[in-house]
Amino acid sequence: MAIATVNNLRHGYGGTLVLDGATLSIADGERIGLVGRNGCGKSTLMKVLAGDLQVDEGNVQVNRSAKVGYLSQHPRLDPSKTLREEAATAFAVIDILHAELDQVFTDMATAEGPKLEALFRRQEEIEARINRAGGYAIDHRVDATLHGLGFVDREFGTPVTSLSGGQKARLGLAKLLLEEPDLLLLDEPTNHLDIDGRRWLETFLAEEYVGAVVLVSHDRWLLDRVVTRIVEIDRGSVREYPGNYHAYVNLRRERQLSEARVYEKQLDKIRAEEEYIRKYKAGQRAKQARGRQTRLERFKEEHLVERSVELDVMHLSLPTPPRVGDIVTTAEHLTKKYGEKRLFSDFSLSVKPGDRIGIIGPNGAGKTTLVRALLGDLEADSGLVRRSPRLAIGWFRQTQDHLDLTLTVSQFLQSVIIGLDGSTKGSEQQARDLAGAFLFSGRDQDKPLSVLSGGERARAVLAGLVASAKNLLVLDEPTNHLDIPSAERLEQSLLDYGSDEGAGGTGGAVLLITHDRALLDAVCDRLVILDGQGRATVFEGGYSEYLAKFPPSAVERVKEEEPKPAAKASNAKKQPSAEAKKSGQPKGPKGPHAKLTLDEIERRIEALETKIRGIDRDLANPAVYSSPAKAKDLATQRERVVADLRPLEEEWARRAES
């Protein structure tokens, strides 16, 4: 059953059409990923579904009884409330019911006979409505949701007026998730979430939330885990692909290759027609030539297929950075505190040419501070740092205040990149080749930086960095404002940069601060993990290896830095008995696999993971999608196997922690 449909939507801004005949149906409980280049119309379609925008043409139908929830970039919050009070307003109806119930109890004190019996019936009715609306467990749900999205107990009493922009965005998301609408519209919900918050959100959406979801996100891991259908907006049109993001990438590639073949055939036809027109436009066949010219122009306007720039393989000839020696930078026993908060202590790390190190941790854990200390941009409280005297750093920061916004894209790139000899400035052609590799079309290359979006400007800066002959790149959340194709181009360029052999013999080094797990997994071969409690550790391996060795616990994340207030009696957790403690039983509840040995659990996990990989291979096969029923069956099988795998992982993690 469709919860919402849109038919033949057409909408534009300033003469530019972003939706052109868009049609879409959303089934009850479905999970849809909405993808496309920045500015293609994703947010426009979300606003139309939310009822916040009237389109130029077309119609939208939403089930009359359905409640629609839309994650706005600027959530409406009550400035008079604290953070937790505002989150709890998602259950405002329960507060009203409790007030009514209190009045019933007050009236009972003086009522007799039939009036008292009527009050008893009224009590039963109100309590039933309270249970249907969430019962007496709402305190736990509010706390769990706030914890999941990265808030700690000491922040619960913070006035809304004192929250940062990122905190307000997370609070708005918490309220929306607690309200549990029938159709949930999420536009970039991970923008202010750390990796733990993203894990929590994807688990909630994949396993707990029962309504329909339309999700706009550049987080490829989130899309892979949550959605079962991808809807792509491309040049105003809507294309649908069954499966998750991984399946979509393969199917889109096949479509683009097919369109490229059609495009080449059309170019052959155009060249032949243009040759005929040039040959006969001034002779006896001039009339026929003019007719062909008219038909050719109409053909170009109505039928010419655009070749996707994403098909171009990126071959970057990067300049040679200065040789840096055997060591880029070395830190020994670094410690840093801000006030009473310890960010890291006794931390040591050696960065060598060719290293690609990912730095991860909760928001506010000190990731950027650690990098600044490593590079001498900030003095640590104690410890020693030694840096190569030939160190040349290219640093991507969250703001680009240093840019001359009057320069065009190609002019900016030519001003910052280095020639292939490593000493002269890059040529205009090199700048334009680089711009094209980072998905700037010929027309876009001549736009001034002042008119670019935040994502386009970030893309230009990143392009300049990778071609600026630096032997160390420091990237602080580089994909925050990039669409997925741009993030994939950055990923490819960093792999090319990391394999360059001009910086001391083994390539330039990369320090990457990011919550983008796909980028982290593809680029980095070593991790620095900050836990937000003053500890920083080094893991030798990539992100997938880290997850395999330390799978995220399914136990609710607790991030409090101070004791919780005493819980209400109705919500208090039972403590283990003295007998249980004496018997040495494992901590935590006994799950369905509690009787299995650890070896048996690991064998079952390995078997299920192998099965998932096999299903993913089938889903990546374009031939599968000639049969929608088969594709849907594979997606259902995958969900079932993942559901079987999760309690095994939980049991494994529980024993690892006990």
Side-chain angles (χ1 to χ4, degrees), residues 142 202 260 304 323 373 546 563 621 652:
V142 171
E202 66 190 26
L304 182 61
R323 296 180 65 86
Y546 173 70
N621 182 359
W652 188 95

Side-chain angles (χ1 to χ4, degrees), residues 1 11 34 68 100 209 270 354 469 531 558-559 596:
M1 175 182 172
H11 193 76
L34 191 59
V68 179
E100 292 181 14
Y209 185 71
I270 290 171
D531 68 354
V558 178
K559 294 180 62 178
L596 297 177

Side-chain angles (χ1 to χ4, degrees), residues 179-196:
E179 289 169 359
E180 295 190 338
D182 303 291
L183 174 59
L184 185 58
L185 307 173
L186 298 177
D187 193 350
E188 297 293 359
T190 62
N191 271 357
H192 300 281
L193 297 182
D194 57 24
I195 289 179
D196 282 343

Side-chain angles (χ1 to χ4, degrees), residues 6 10 39 60 120 151 166-167 170 216 237 283 369 375 381 387 408 451 462 475 502 508 537 584 624 628:
V6 296
R10 287 173 59 85
V60 181
F120 278 128
F151 291 108
Q167 288 173 318
R170 284 187 284 140
V216 174
S237 300
T369 300
L375 302 181
D381 297 335
R387 292 173 292 278
T408 66
V451 304
L462 289 165
L475 306 179
T537 56
V624 168

Side-chain angles (χ1 to χ4, degrees), residues 7-204:
N7 295 295
N8 297 315
L9 297 189
R10 287 173 59 85
H11 193 76
Y13 300 97
T16 301
L17 209 59
V18 294
L19 297 177
D20 186 9
T23 297
L24 176 66
S25 177
I26 304 167
D28 189 18
E30 191 174 17
R31 305 288 194 271
I32 294 175
L34 191 59
V35 302
R37 300 297 305 276
N38 283 344
C40 72
K42 301 187 296 293
S43 294
T44 297
L45 182 55
M46 296 284 268
K47 290 176 183 176
V48 171
L49 287 167
D52 290 350
L53 179 66
Q54 293 294 318
V55 292
D56 299 333
E57 296 180 28
N59 63 81
V60 181
Q61 294 181 330
V62 178
N63 192 317
R64 186 173 298 177
S65 62
K67 180 181 177 183
V68 179
Y70 173 52
L71 179 63
S72 167
Q73 298 301 313
H74 304 285
R76 298 188 189 93
L77 304 173
D78 186 343
S80 68
K81 296 185 182 296
T82 65
L83 184 151
R84 194 188 183 288
E85 289 170 345
E86 181 63 18
T89 59
F91 300 104
V93 64
I94 291 186
D95 292 335
I96 295 172
L97 291 173
H98 276 300
E100 292 181 14
L101 188 60
D102 288 343
Q103 185 59 50
V104 167
F105 289 146
T106 299
D107 294 342
M108 281 180 176
T110 57
E112 296 180 354
K115 186 175 181 181
L116 183 59
E117 292 178 6
L119 287 171
F120 278 128
R121 289 194 296 272
R122 177 64 176 155
Q123 175 192 351
E124 292 176 358
E125 176 190 336
I126 294 174
E127 288 179 339
R129 289 175 62 191
I130 289 174
N131 288 330
R132 286 196 300 271
Y136 294 89
I138 60 171
D139 284 343
H140 170 73
R141 289 176 60 190
V142 171
D143 290 352
T145 301
L146 291 175
H147 285 149
L149 294 177
F151 291 108
V152 296
D153 284 352
R154 61 180 175 79
E155 295 174 316
F156 285 7
T158 305
V160 166
T161 52
S162 300
L163 299 177
S164 67
Q167 288 173 318
K168 289 178 180 177
R170 284 187 284 140
L171 176 56
L173 175 59
K175 281 184 61 178
L176 189 60
L177 298 179
L178 288 167
E179 289 169 359
E180 295 190 338
D182 303 291
L183 174 59
L184 185 58
L185 307 173
L186 298 177
D187 193 350
E188 297 293 359
T190 62
N191 271 357
H192 300 281
L193 297 182
D194 57 24
I195 289 179
D196 282 343
R198 294 178 186 217
R199 286 177 186 156
W200 180 90
L201 177 62
E202 66 190 26
T203 299
F204 177 84

